[in-house]
C-alpha cells in the first residue's frame, strides 16, 4: 500500500513538537512522505537527519495550500482518510480501508476546516475519546498494514538497531564524529 | 487486563504537551491511571476536565520517585513493560504480554535511567525506528487489548460522540454555559 500523510491546521511554535512527532510516525510506519504548510522549516532538517542516521527515503514536502493537493491526489486515484474523533470507529471500518491501494491520510491539529469532512472518502475515529493526532496516525497505519511496517528494512542509514531483551545493541556503519 | 502507566524522564515545559498526550492516550486506551513525577501540575487539571466532559475515572498520580513505585508494583504482581526502540519487536513479543493480568507500562522521554532496562520484565520496541512515546504507548495498548478499548463506554461525562460518516454528532447531557 502507498501511503502519504497531509498535516494541516497546526500552529507554528505551539505545535512544532507534535508535528515533528506526526512526521516521525509517518516515516517509521512506512509512509512515503508528509506534506505540510505553515510549518517551521527546521522540521524538514530534523527528519533529514533522522533519515541520514536511521535510513530510508522518507520525504517532507512543503505545500502552499491543502485543497489543491487533495483534489490532485483524488484525481490520481488516492483515497482520502481523515482522522477525527467524530468519525467511524476504526474497529468497524478498517477492513474496507485495508483494501485500498493508495491513501492520503489527513492529520489535523485542533481546528480543521469543515470541508475536509466532505472531501474525505473516510472519516475515521481511533476511538471516540480525545487523545492525540500522533497516536491516531500510528493506530490507523498499524491496523491497515497489520504490523508489517515494523518488519521493514530502512536501508542506507548509519545505524541499525538489533532488538535486545534488556540493553542497547546498535550496529554503527560509521564511527561518531 | 489492568494497566497503569508510569511516565518518567520528561523535562518540565519542553515536554509538557507530549506528556499531556501520553496521559490522554493512557486514558482513552483504557489505563486506570498514570503516575508521574517532575511534571507541570496543570496536566492533572487538564485530564480532570477531560474526564468531566468525556467521562470515566482515569486518574493522575504525582509520585516522588519512580524506583520505589516500580518495586512496590512488582511485589503486587504487576509486570513491568518498558517501551524503548532498543527492545524486542512488538510483533514478536505481544502474544506473551497479552497473557499478563496486571501491567505497569513505563514511558520514558529522551533519556531514561539505565536501571529501567533491568527492572523491566519486558523491554519492548514498537519497531526499531525512532518515533514518539505517544505512538509507542498507543500501539502497545492497542495490540495487547486487541482493539477492545475502543468499544469501551466512558460513563458519567457531559458529552458522548455518536460515530458519523461525515460530520460531528455529539450527544450533550448538559448545555454549554
Amino acid at each position: 500500500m502507498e501511503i502519504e500523510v497531509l498535516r494541516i491546521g497546526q500552529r507554528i511554535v505551539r505545535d512544532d513538537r507534535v508535528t515533528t512527532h506526526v512526521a516521525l510516525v509517518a516515516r517509521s510506519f512506512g509512509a512515503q512522505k508528509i506534506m505540510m504548510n505553515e510549518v517551521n522549516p527546521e522540521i524538514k532538517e530534523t527528519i533529514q537527519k533522522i533519515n541520514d542516521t536511521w535510513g530510508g527515503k522518507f520525504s517532507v514536502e512543503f505545500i502552499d495550500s491543502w485543497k489543491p493537493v487533495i483534489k490532485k491526489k483524488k484525481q490520481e486515484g488516492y483515497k482520502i482518510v481523515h482522522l477525527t474523533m467524530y468519525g467511524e470507529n476504526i474497529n468497524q471500518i478498517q477492513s474496507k480501508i485495508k483494501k485500498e491501494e493508495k491513501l492520503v491520510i489527513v492529520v489535523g491539529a485542533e481546528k480543521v476546516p469543515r470541508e475536509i469532512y466532505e472531501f474525505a472518502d473516510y472519516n475515521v475515529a481511533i476511538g471516540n475519546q480525545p487523545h492525540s493526532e500522533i497516536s491516531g496516525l500510528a493506530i490507523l497505519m498499524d491496523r491497515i498494514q497489520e504490523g508489517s511496517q515494523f518488519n521493514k528494512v530502512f536501508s542506507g542509514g548509519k545505524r541499525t538497531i538489533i532488538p535486545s531483551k534488556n540493553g542497547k545493541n546498535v550496529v554503527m556503519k560509521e564511527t561518531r564524529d
Side-chain angles (χ1 to χ4, degrees), chain A:
Chain A
M1 190 185 288
E2 208 175 305
I3 301 173
E4 301 187 357
V5 174
L6 173 63
R7 167 71 166 166
I8 59 168
Q10 69 281 5
R11 295 143 301 176
I12 291 187
V13 183
R14 179 164 152 75
D15 288 331
D16 279 358
R17 284 197 75 210
V18 172
T19 298
T20 301
H21 283 214
V22 166
L24 288 172
V25 168
R27 175 187 171 278
S28 63
F29 285 60
Q32 274 75 50
K33 72 173 170 187
I34 189 167
M35 299 168 281
M36 307 192 267
N37 65 351
E38 291 170 25
V39 86
N40 187 333
E42 281 176 23
I43 293 176
K44 198 167 187 167
E45 291 160 37
T46 303
I47 300 297
Q48 190 50 55
K49 276 183 205 160
I50 296 274
N51 283 349
D52 293 346
T53 306
W54 299 106
K57 292 178 191 294
F58 180 75
S59 70
V60 176
E61 186 182 320
F62 292 147
I63 59 170
D64 289 326
S65 167
W66 62 269
K67 215 184 290 181
V69 169
I70 287 196
K71 285 182 179 165
K72 186 162 167 275
K73 291 290 173 186
K74 282 177 87 103
Q75 280 167 4
E76 292 171 1
Y78 285 82
K79 296 292 178 183
I80 312 298
V81 182
H82 171 223
L83 287 168
T84 162
M85 68 187 280
Y86 300 98
E88 294 183 271
N89 195 312
I90 183 71
N91 288 355
Q92 269 75 59
I93 198 76
Q94 65 181 0
S95 57
K96 271 181 81 176
I97 303 177
K98 230 183 272 182
K99 291 179 195 143
E100 304 290 358
E101 285 174 13
K102 302 201 288 186
L103 293 183
V104 173
I105 302 172
V106 181
V107 181
E110 276 181 36
K111 296 279 176 202
V112 296
R114 182 69 188 78
E115 288 166 287
I116 284 283
Y117 288 85
E118 303 299 334
F119 276 115
D121 297 287
Y122 303 96
N123 287 290
V124 178
I126 308 303
N128 298 106
Q129 287 283 334
H131 45 104
S132 169
E133 53 265 55
I134 300 163
S135 39
L137 178 62
I139 297 295
L140 174 65
M141 292 189 73
D142 189 45
R143 295 284 191 95
I144 61 182
Q145 299 180 102
E146 295 174 331
S148 62
Q149 73 280 1
F150 297 141
N151 303 326
K152 196 184 140 191
V153 174
F154 285 69
S155 58
K158 292 176 194 163
R159 300 186 202 177
T160 307
I161 290 171
I162 311 296
S164 166
K165 263 189 199 307
N166 56 5
K168 297 184 181 183
N169 187 356
V170 184
V171 177
M172 308 271 192
K173 291 199 192 128
E174 283 182 22
T175 52
R176 291 185 208 213
D177 47 19

